[in-house]
Amino acid sequence: MPKNSKVTQREQSHEHVTESVADLLAHEEPLDYKSSSLNVGGAAGKKVPQIEVPENDGRPAWNSKLQYILAQVGFSVGLGNVWRFPYLCQKNGGGAYLVPYFILLLIIGIPLFFLELAVGQKIRRGSIGVWNYVCPRLGGIGMSSLMVCGFVGLYYNVIIGWSIFYFFQSFQYPLPWSDCPIRKNGTLAIVEPECDKSSATTYFWYRQTLNTTSTIAESGGLNIKMTLSLLVAWIIVCLAVIKGIASSGKVMYFSSLFPYVVLFCFLVRGLMLKGSVDGIAHMFTPKLEKMLEPQVWREAATQVFFALGLGFGGVIAFSSYNKIDNNCHFDAVLVSVINFLTSILATLVVFAVLGFKANIMNEKCVVENAEKILGYLNSNVLSHDLIPPHVNFSHLTTSDYAEMYGVIKTVKEDSFPQLGLEPCVLEDELNKAVQGTGLAFIAFTEAMTHFPASPFWSVMFFFMLINLGLGSMIGTMTGITTPVLDAYKVQKELFTVCCCIIAFLCGLLFVQRSGNYFVTMFDDYSAGLPLTVVVILENLSVAWIYGTKRFMQDLEDMLGFRPYIIYFYLWKYVSPFCLIVLISATVIEMAISPPGYNAWVQELAQERFQSYPPWALAMCFALIVVAMLPLPVVFIARHFNLMSDGSNKLSVSYHKSMMKDISNLEEQDEARFILGGKPGEAPSSGPARKPFLTPGGNKAMDSLSPNICYGTSYQNAAISPTTPTTPSTPLTPESDS
């Protein structure tokens, strides 16, 4: 290297090296590829320079493999595993739903999760840096991913705030949602009408917690209790991520493991409750005919997609702090299996508890309707001859009531509807599907009021929800902060605090009295379609632009073994096809489903579907457009050279961490690459093709491989002129090189 180069001067002055790749190579002398280890046709036994990959490039790293796995598990396992998966399982055929879910997990979930882990680990940057490297024209992928993380983080932390409020409300006996409040009118005391028409838990959720308005157009002002809860939630998140993985990694030890402790405790306690087995049996009784419905497969694909956190950038960000030789294939399979098993565990817990609740509600129904029948018998509306002789009203069982109900319905066929009797069938109670906030804050809380020591179980449940949400929020925030900190020299702590403050201020939209409706809007529109587009572009950019063969070789260099050949076909053909079908189904679903929300009507004490007003519709579509806007903007700007390709943001440490360039693989026969050559085959005698930068630093001296997006190749590795190496060998499936 010339003595007067910038890098030499920096090394002599012991200053931190911050030169870009373009600046560094501008002062380099051209490399003779004939003497390089990249020349697979070099003479045997000839000493050539060897690629040097530094073990420590100054990037933060995980303290241990366990800490990293817990971080990925904490990010992927979230609230959706507890309140979304059980609902989908019940709705789409019980145990039969697990079949399409598991199939799609294998052909979409694990391959794409592996892909994100691999690109993050190889390139060692956040989402923006990764996709700028793979294909600068598609650099908008990382920016769109960051935008979606921002939108999701805004409303997701509101849900954590709701859980915090319920957590503190649980420290009292009886629980405040166990009974309806009494309204006093002088000497007369009556039950609150809104609560009497619904239930105590429903009333507590909509009136005492959210104090919700009847429409989204009525703001109602800020809800002070929810505003304070949101502030606490953002303070917790900020403290967890303020030091990057140094702080969030330690938090993950607790936030990722504690929910499993609670779930196992709930499972053991739930199985001891009357009716829990009924709930579990109902849950997993397969309805095989459901597997033939396209809607079931669409919802299974969507759940797989979001359960693993694909497209958010958190997976890539966490993986970027790994060692370059970490076995990310093992990590992808392990985290995906843990996620799947957690969903099944949560489903067992939910339906054990809901089975107990269904039995209580069914017994209550029998008692209320038996009193009606006694009243009809006493008023001679019904004859005593209609009552089977063995029926004892003081110890009436559900089977006795069902027999009595059937007799009365048969004899009084014409006037039966006027009697107002209900069938009180346990199956009907179990079929009442609930999801989301309705499951966590209404159905499950109502079931816990019947538990012995109910405050203890309530505290445990909502503390579990807080930790589940916190793990996902840490991943979401990392997906925002890592790309920005990689690209710009800003103080990590200051930037994190500013992000949290801005997010809290924006989050005030969700703690108005109408805020619950905005949470629904953001949940429906801000992530679904944009994330699907982001992931399909991720898949295409790696498989079809960067090159699947090239990427497979990168993986072999990183992992020390060649991944299974099935990944080649999954990445190149199967996953893109499935994602295109999924995005088409999503667009069709959005087109045929009227955009709206379930509003709580105070006078009726029940939910009613309402369509969004025009301004809210515009807001829905604005969320989609804003999230996807970076994709075409960056593409057009870089196509016409209006925006830098991002090379000036790649530091020397990044340059050194890149693997060797293998663009010569693009000229090899595809079948030979996949199947591998025989050990005795001689390698190609042609020199390896390697792009070099001219002194200008921005043009390649050699033509680029067809799968390189355009004139940007940052894979030139640091060369150690003193370290000898053995001659290159042919690429075979058995090779570990």
Side-chain angles (χ1 to χ4, degrees):
M1 182 182 293
K3 294 182 179 180
N4 59 349
S5 72
K6 293 182 180 179
V7 177
T8 304
Q9 293 172 4
R10 287 290 181 86
E11 289 177 349
Q12 293 173 350
S13 62
H14 303 287
E15 294 180 9
H16 180 64
V17 181
T18 58
E19 298 289 328
S20 70
V21 171
D23 290 338
L24 174 65
L25 296 184
H27 300 281
E28 290 280 14
E29 296 177 356
L31 179 67
D32 181 9
Y33 68 80
K34 293 181 180 179
S35 63
S36 169
S37 63
L38 296 180
N39 179 12
V40 297
K46 185 176 181 180
K47 292 185 179 182
V48 293
Q50 185 181 30
I51 294 175
E52 178 184 352
V53 180
E55 293 184 3
N56 184 10
D57 60 359
R59 187 171 183 79
W62 298 102
N63 290 336
S64 66
K65 182 65 174 283
L66 176 62
Q67 189 180 81
Y68 165 68
I69 293 296
L70 290 177
Q72 291 286 15
V73 169
F75 177 53
S76 65
V77 175
L79 298 174
N81 296 76
V82 174
W83 66 33
R84 179 69 178 169
F85 186 89
Y87 162 76
L88 291 175
C89 203
Q90 178 191 23
K91 175 186 174 185
N92 295 315
Y97 173 75
L98 299 178
V99 176
Y101 184 88
F102 188 70
I103 291 174
L104 291 168
L105 179 66
L106 292 178
I107 66 175
I108 296 180
I110 294 178
L112 293 179
F113 192 61
F114 180 26
L115 184 147
E116 289 203 356
L117 291 180
V119 296
Q121 181 173 307
K122 177 185 184 299
I123 303 173
R124 298 177 65 75
R125 283 295 177 272
S127 55
I128 294 178
V130 160
W131 303 114
N132 277 341
Y133 167 75
V134 174
C135 179
R137 288 184 183 177
L138 294 180
I141 294 175
M143 298 180 189
S144 285
S145 179
L146 191 147
M147 295 290 295
V148 172
C149 278
F151 287 147
V152 172
L154 287 179
Y155 77 84
Y156 202 88
N157 221 25
V158 174
I159 301 174
I160 299 179
W162 294 341
S163 302
I164 290 173
F165 176 76
Y166 267 77
F167 172 75
F168 286 109
Q169 290 292 314
S170 299
F171 288 95
Q172 50 186 305
Y173 184 83
L175 291 171
W177 51 81
S178 58
D179 298 301
C180 285
I182 303 298
R183 177 191 294 181
K184 292 184 178 181
N185 186 7
T187 57
L188 185 64
I190 60 173
V191 176
E192 179 65 42
E194 186 180 1
C195 183
D196 193 36
K197 293 177 184 177
S198 54
S199 68
T201 50
T202 304
Y203 175 81
F204 186 86
W205 168 243
Y206 282 111
R207 188 55 50 212
Q208 296 190 340
T209 301
L210 301 178
N211 194 20
T212 188
T213 58
S214 297
T215 66
I216 194 173
E218 301 175 36
S219 168
L222 289 178
N223 183 331
I224 301 302
K225 292 181 291 187
M226 292 302 100
T227 303
L228 294 176
S229 299
L230 179 63
L231 178 61
V232 172
W234 274 113
I235 290 174
I236 294 174
V237 170
C238 188
L239 293 176
V241 300
I242 193 168
K243 294 288 186 181
I245 62 171
S247 57
S248 62
K250 295 180 176 62
V251 173
M252 285 296 185
Y253 280 114
F254 182 81
S255 65
S256 296
L257 294 175
F258 179 74
Y260 289 97
V261 175
V262 177
L263 285 174
F264 277 111
C265 290
F266 264 98
L267 180 61
V268 173
R269 185 67 187 91
L271 291 175
M272 297 168 62
L273 298 171
K274 179 183 177 182
S276 60
V277 177
D278 295 328
I280 294 174
H282 174 79
M283 179 68 257
F284 288 103
T285 301
K287 302 177 181 66
L288 298 178
E289 66 279 3
K290 284 278 190 178
M291 291 178 58
L292 302 177
E293 299 179 10
Q295 178 75 2
V296 174
W297 289 83
R298 186 189 73 82
E299 292 191 342
T302 304
Q303 179 62 17
V304 167
F305 186 81
F306 289 107
L308 294 175
L310 300 175
F312 280 95
V315 173
I316 293 176
F318 281 152
S319 183
S320 71
Y321 299 112
N322 269 331
K323 294 181 179 179
I324 197 71
D325 59 349
N326 173 64
N327 189 347
C328 54
H329 176 257
F330 172 79
D331 301 342
V333 175
L334 177 64
V335 174
S336 299
V337 171
I338 290 175
N339 189 291
F340 179 59
L341 295 178
T342 303
S343 297
I344 295 178
L345 173 63
T347 301
L348 288 171
V349 171
V350 167
F351 278 90
V353 174
L354 292 185
F356 164 68
K357 174 178 174 287
N359 268 268
I360 290 179
M361 300 306 294
N362 197 54
E363 290 176 358
K364 182 180 178 182
C365 176
V366 168
V367 171
E368 290 176 351
N369 283 272
E371 291 177 353
K372 288 183 182 180
I373 293 174
L374 280 175
Y376 292 141
L377 292 173
N378 294 332
S379 60
N380 295 322
V381 174
L382 295 177
S383 171
H384 287 80
D385 297 334
L386 298 177
I387 309 301
H390 64 275
V391 171
N392 183 356
F393 277 92
S394 59
H395 296 88
L396 190 63
T397 63
T398 54
S399 58
D400 289 343
Y401 174 79
E403 182 181 356
M404 186 168 55
Y405 176 87
V407 172
I408 296 173
K409 185 177 182 180
T410 302
V411 175
K412 296 286 186 178
E413 184 176 357
D414 296 332
S415 59
F416 183 79
Q418 284 73 34
L419 297 177
L421 298 178
E422 298 177 15
C424 297
V425 179
L426 181 63
E427 190 78 9
D428 295 341
E429 204 61 50
L430 290 169
N431 280 330
K432 292 180 179 178
V434 287
Q435 65 166 322
T437 55
L439 173 63
F441 298 105
I442 298 178
F444 215 88
T445 51
E446 183 174 351
M448 286 188 296
T449 59
H450 301 286
F451 280 22
S454 54
F456 168 78
W457 293 104
S458 184
V459 167
M460 293 282 283
F461 176 71
F462 289 108
F463 195 40
M464 178 190 72
L465 291 188
I466 293 170
N467 281 276
L468 284 173
L470 180 60
S472 297
M473 273 301 299
I474 288 175
T476 302
M477 288 295 294
T478 305
I480 296 173
T481 58
T482 297
V484 176
L485 294 174
D486 286 343
Y488 303 100
K489 292 182 179 180
V490 294
Q491 187 180 358
K492 181 188 303 179
E493 292 81 1
L494 179 61
F495 177 70
T496 303
V497 171
C498 290
C499 283
C500 292
I501 292 174
I502 294 172
F504 169 72
L505 295 176
C506 294
L508 295 178
L509 172 70
F510 306 102
V511 291
Q512 304 174 92
R513 289 180 57 197
S514 60
N516 183 41
Y517 307 138
F518 288 99
V519 171
T520 302
M521 176 193 292
F522 272 65
D523 190 38
D524 290 341
Y525 292 95
S526 69
L529 184 60
L531 271 186
T532 311
V533 173
V534 163
V535 174
I536 193 173
L537 290 177
E538 288 181 357
N539 193 175
L540 293 175
S541 63
V542 170
W544 289 91
I545 298 177
Y546 186 82
T548 311
K549 294 179 291 183
R550 195 165 176 237
F551 185 58
M552 290 283 281
Q553 182 62 36
D554 285 346
L555 291 175
E556 184 177 1
D557 290 340
M558 284 198 307
L559 305 178
F561 63 89
R562 190 185 301 277
Y564 297 113
I565 298 305
I566 187 65
Y567 285 111
F568 180 91
Y569 298 103
L570 289 175
W571 284 327
K572 195 156 190 176
Y573 304 110
V574 179
S575 294
F577 173 77
C578 292
L579 289 172
I580 290 172
V581 172
L582 176 60
I583 198 171
S584 301
T586 302
V587 172
I588 293 172
E589 178 72 16
M590 292 176 65
I592 64 177
S593 300
Y597 61 101
N598 290 320
W600 178 255
V601 182
Q602 183 174 1
E603 294 75 17
L604 301 175
Q606 61 184 7
E607 287 185 333
R608 285 287 178 87
F609 181 83
Q610 293 189 14
S611 298
Y612 284 120
W615 63 267
L617 272 177
M619 189 172 178
C620 292
F621 291 110
L623 290 173
I624 299 174
V625 171
V626 170
M628 295 195 296
L629 192 61
L631 296 171
V633 168
V634 172
F635 183 89
I636 294 171
R638 285 182 173 159
H639 180 76
F640 293 102
N641 297 320
L642 301 177
M643 179 186 293
S644 167
D645 60 14
S647 61
N648 59 328
K649 295 293 189 286
L650 301 176
S651 65
V652 167
S653 63
Y654 175 52
H655 160 75
K656 288 183 178 180
S657 69
M658 290 300 95
M659 308 300 289
K660 63 183 179 181
D661 183 56
I662 57 163
S663 58
N664 58 306
L665 287 173
E666 300 301 334
E667 297 184 354
Q668 295 180 7
D669 179 70
E670 183 170 308
R672 182 178 175 227
F673 174 80
I674 297 174
L675 300 176
K678 295 179 181 179
E681 289 180 352
S684 171
S685 60
R689 297 177 61 199
K690 180 179 179 70
F692 298 97
L693 298 180
T694 63
N698 57 4
K699 293 182 182 287
M701 293 175 63
D702 198 0
S703 60
L704 293 171
S705 169
N707 277 353
I708 299 177
C709 188
Y710 70 95
T712 53
S713 180
Y714 311 123
Q715 289 184 307
N716 303 302
I719 302 297
S720 172
T722 58
T723 308
T725 184
T726 57
S728 300
T729 57
L731 295 173
T732 65
E734 292 80 12
S735 174
D736 291 331
S737 61

